[in-house]
């Protein structure tokens, strides 16, 4: 999927649910903080117990990173555009 198409779909998804009014910079800071905490928890337990991450851990990390990037892009896009 191309970047512009992804941004368009994210914006349409957000707008169709009326979430645009909730996507503010303070809300972004809170959301990213929560998601980063969840990502940190994955690293905390896996790094302490073994060197290599399991496939499940890697998938979970990707999902948490996707959440952070999605929040950031949808909020910043709203703020700038």
């Amino acid at each position: 999927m191309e970047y512009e198409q992804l941004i368009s779909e994210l914006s349409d998804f957000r707008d169709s649910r009326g979430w645009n009014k909730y996507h503010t910079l303070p809300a972004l800071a809170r959301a990213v903080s929560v998601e980063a905490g969840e990502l940190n928890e994955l690293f905390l337990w896996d790094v302490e117990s073994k060197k290599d991450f399991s496939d499940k851990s890697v998938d979970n990390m990707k999902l948490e990173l996707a959440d952070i990037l999605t929040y950031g892009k949808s909020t910043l896009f709203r703020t700038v555009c």
Side-chain angles (χ1 to χ4, degrees):
M1 179 178 293
E2 294 294 320
Y3 179 77
E4 293 301 324
Q5 181 185 354
L6 176 62
I7 297 307
S8 177
E9 288 185 22
L10 283 172
S11 297
D12 291 346
F13 181 84
R14 176 199 63 204
D15 295 345
S16 70
R17 287 157 179 77
W19 294 348
N20 201 20
K21 62 185 173 186
Y22 301 112
H23 288 206
T24 63
L25 291 178
L28 170 63
R30 288 188 298 270
V32 167
S33 175
V34 168
E35 297 301 334
E38 292 174 0
L39 182 60
N40 184 54
E41 186 176 320
L42 293 170
F43 279 109
L44 177 69
W45 298 116
D46 281 341
V47 170
E48 296 297 326
S49 62
K50 58 187 170 188
K51 281 188 170 185
D52 297 325
F53 295 110
S54 68
D55 290 343
K56 182 178 180 183
S57 291
V58 171
D59 288 342
N60 287 339
M61 289 178 206
K62 288 178 183 179
L63 290 172
E64 296 304 337
L65 286 170
D67 286 346
I68 292 168
L69 294 172
T70 299
Y71 281 129
K73 186 55 188 172
S74 62
T75 300
L76 293 175
F77 183 77
R78 177 195 177 271
T79 305
V80 173
C81 298

